[in-house]
Amino acid sequence: MSPRFRRCGDRAVLVELGGAAEVLALYDTLSTDPPPGVTEILPAARTLLVRFEPPAHRGTVEAAVLSAPPSRGRRAGAGEVTVPVVYDGADLADVAALTGLSEREVVTAHTGTPWTVAFSGFAPGFAYLVGGHPRLRVPRRTESRVRVPAGAVALAAGFSAVYPRESPGGWRLIGRTELTVWDVHADPPALLRPGMRVRFAEARDG
Amino acid sequence: MGEAVRLLEVVATGPLASVQDLGRPGRGDLGVGRSGAADRGALRLANRLLANPEGAAALEVTLGGLAVRAHGDLLVALSGASCPATVTYASGRARGIGHHAVERLPDGATLLLGVPRSGLRTYLAVRGGLDVPEVLGSRATDMMAGLGPELPRPGTLLPVGPPPDRFPGVEFAPVAEPGEEAPVLGVLPGPRDDWFGADALRVLCSAAYEVTADSNRVGMRLRGPALERVRGEELPPEGMVPGALQVPPSGQPTLFLADHPVTGGYPVIAVLCSRDVDRAAQVRPGQRIRFRLRAR
């Protein structure tokens, strides 16, 4: 679909697009060569937020979006990561019940399709992964947990995610990984960045 | 002064004091917000008075109550909410010091900030800036994300950086203080004003909203006439900006400040004009604010 511009104050434009693939394509194009004055390009589920300072203005941003090629391949550097997971999460049985799959089939579905990082939010390094098996679409828990441990692998609302550090959380926990997905001393600090492909692989405990 | 170690020792923090600079711009795509001073203009001014770079790290002090002791001879400046400020020298002599002014804090002297007469956040900048370690390119404490230096406590020693090459050019900056009874803040409609009833923007801009006690660096919860949504579906998460007025199902808006979440899932009916975000950050809980629609 053609982008729709929504004004977001006098220092940002929200570009509404058709879905995650279009958002990532535009994010890729704009972040490779941002117009002068653009300070942040933030992909989300169906939108791209472009923040700017003078000399850029709303017109600069809208022109850059409209002249961006409709869709290109992802940047070669976007990369791919394999996340080893021990599937023993507290909500695995619930996810099986909600999806009508067996616990084993949930694991097979989660590891069987490649996911893509669509965007980040909620916490530093918390990546929303899309593109997994359609059967894994489950709602959030009705009550949020006060403490979800770092490395918890979870599902909610069609997304999958790895909790970057201990935090509250309402997603359904299906497993855990030893992989560090957030390290402030690393450059870049986030392991999972927009556009990256992610594969989950079953790991043995210990 | 020589090469002696220069430090600011925190003796008391008041309700909340944190180290802030101009934050971490451009990392929202990794889930990292900008954070930084809630009143950015005030931080910049205090630094300019001391000939620091505008984004040097300083203390952001909420509702006064801060006491610090100088180790080494320091130059300081206060900005933002104006509060009674007293320096007690090592000799025991005490005197009041000015706001928006370059002041000496010699070795062993203690600076105590009283409660501001109006406004909420006072900035204490030191010539040379606070030289705590950077996290992701900034010394700002992001209370939402848990990034940056730990909050100072009594006994915390904050290192002061080397003084810049330039010298202060003015000693005093006459600046209007925050303090109107019910400040009027300009807003621009969108990005999701069409998710609300035709009347909602008029309602937002006609009545006063009270800033509730449930307010912090993340945002200010407001209480006033409810803003009615006409679209009931879930909004997929989308990027947020400082000054965004996000409206949860209760219809009571939240005004986002420096440590706002990077993405949010409730529709934003309007966004403050960027120049009014600093003013919003100086409004106290219990105070009332009004919004005025600005031309598109």
Side-chain angles (χ1 to χ4, degrees):
Chain A
M1 88 181 215
S2 57
R4 174 176 177 182
F5 298 110
R6 287 177 175 269
R7 181 161 199 167
C8 191
D10 52 19
R11 290 283 187 268
V13 173
L14 192 69
V15 187
E16 199 168 29
L17 295 148
E22 284 182 33
V23 172
L24 280 173
L26 183 60
Y27 166 74
D28 208 37
T29 308
L30 284 189
S31 54
T32 304
D33 185 20
V38 166
T39 56
E40 190 156 87
I41 302 169
L42 203 156
R46 287 210 292 260
T47 57
L48 192 71
L49 178 74
V50 185
R51 294 176 67 177
F52 55 83
E53 300 281 349
H57 51 84
R58 215 178 147 200
T60 318
V61 170
E62 295 186 1
V65 168
L66 291 173
S67 65
S71 185
R72 299 185 323 184
R74 301 242 167 75
R75 241 178 311 169
E80 184 166 329
V81 175
T82 299
V83 178
V85 181
V86 177
Y87 285 95
D88 60 358
D91 300 321
L92 187 58
D94 286 352
V95 170
L98 285 164
T99 55
L101 301 171
S102 69
E103 293 188 17
R104 185 74 341 237
E105 286 167 337
V106 170
V107 174
T108 306
H110 196 245
T111 54
T113 47
W115 299 74
T116 302
V117 180
F119 61 98
S120 300
F122 175 64
F126 189 99
Y128 290 73
L129 310 180
V130 296
H133 198 288
R135 285 292 290 271
L136 293 180
R137 210 177 170 84
V138 290
R140 287 178 175 77
R141 287 165 52 87
T142 44
E143 272 192 48
S144 180
R145 282 189 174 88
V146 179
R147 278 185 49 208
V148 173
V153 176
L155 293 170
F159 299 110
S160 189
V162 180
Y163 278 79
R165 47 174 204 151
E166 186 183 298
S167 67
W171 292 34
R172 297 188 189 261
L173 311 182
I174 58 170
R176 60 196 155 91
T177 180
E178 299 278 311
L179 207 60
T180 300
V181 297
W182 173 254
D183 177 3
V184 288
H185 303 296
D187 186 19
L191 180 69
L192 308 178
R193 302 181 293 280
M196 288 176 83
R197 283 158 72 84
V198 178
R199 277 190 178 276
F200 292 100
E202 191 169 11
R204 297 277 159 242
D205 204 356
Chain B
M1 258 181 251
E3 297 301 307
V5 176
R6 302 184 322 141
L7 299 162
L8 209 54
E9 178 189 350
V10 176
V11 178
T13 61
L16 176 72
S18 62
V19 176
Q20 297 295 341
D21 58 14
L22 291 177
R24 308 177 175 81
R27 294 176 186 260
D29 55 354
L30 304 185
V32 177
R34 185 176 68 183
S35 186
D39 181 345
R40 297 160 68 82
L43 174 85
R44 288 185 151 120
L45 173 61
N47 278 323
R48 281 203 306 274
L49 280 166
L50 298 166
N52 283 342
E54 281 195 333
L59 278 172
E60 179 181 284
V61 184
T62 307
L63 281 175
L66 180 85
V68 289
R69 185 177 297 125
H71 294 250
D73 290 340
L74 304 176
L75 276 186
V76 298
L78 295 166
S79 65
S82 162
C83 48
T86 313
V87 172
T88 305
Y89 298 98
S91 66
R93 190 171 66 87
R95 74 170 182 103
I97 64 166
H99 199 68
H100 294 141
V102 178
E103 299 279 357
R104 283 187 66 220
L105 195 61
D107 187 29
T110 302
L111 168 63
L112 175 67
L113 303 188
V115 178
R117 288 176 284 269
S118 63
L120 183 61
R121 296 180 166 100
T122 305
Y123 294 84
L124 168 64
V126 186
R127 181 160 157 82
L130 297 175
D131 195 18
V132 299
E134 289 190 348
V135 175
L136 302 178
S138 159
R139 297 177 171 91
T141 299
D142 184 332
M143 315 265 302
M144 173 93 176
L147 284 177
E150 280 183 36
L151 292 179
R153 297 185 302 254
T156 300
L157 294 170
L158 299 168
V160 175
D165 294 335
R166 295 169 53 226
F167 288 96
V170 291
E171 293 179 334
F172 171 70
V175 174
E177 287 176 22
E180 301 149 85
E181 200 60 30
V184 179
L185 307 170
V187 294
L188 295 160
R192 297 282 172 194
D193 50 317
D194 56 340
W195 281 49
F196 295 84
D199 212 28
L201 276 171
R202 192 192 58 75
V203 169
L204 176 73
C205 294
S206 58
Y209 282 83
E210 185 191 337
V211 177
T212 71
D214 206 358
S215 298
N216 53 28
R217 284 180 43 83
V218 175
M220 298 154 66
R221 289 241 184 119
L222 306 179
R223 190 186 298 131
L227 305 171
E228 305 270 349
R229 255 171 81 164
V230 290
R231 289 178 64 166
E233 74 257 40
E234 287 273 299
L235 178 71
E238 62 189 25
M240 292 287 140
V241 295
L245 282 161
Q246 198 192 52
V247 187
S250 68
Q252 301 288 322
T254 297
L255 200 174
F256 279 150
L257 296 178
D259 290 355
H260 67 86
V262 173
T263 58
Y266 296 127
V268 169
I269 187 170
V271 178
L272 256 61
C273 300
S274 50
R275 64 170 181 273
D276 283 350
V277 175
D278 287 355
R279 292 175 59 218
Q282 291 292 1
V283 183
R284 296 181 185 200
Q287 241 182 300
R288 300 189 333 152
I289 53 180
R290 287 180 175 277
F291 298 106
R292 182 167 295 155
L293 216 53
R294 300 292 180 206
R296 277 180 181 268

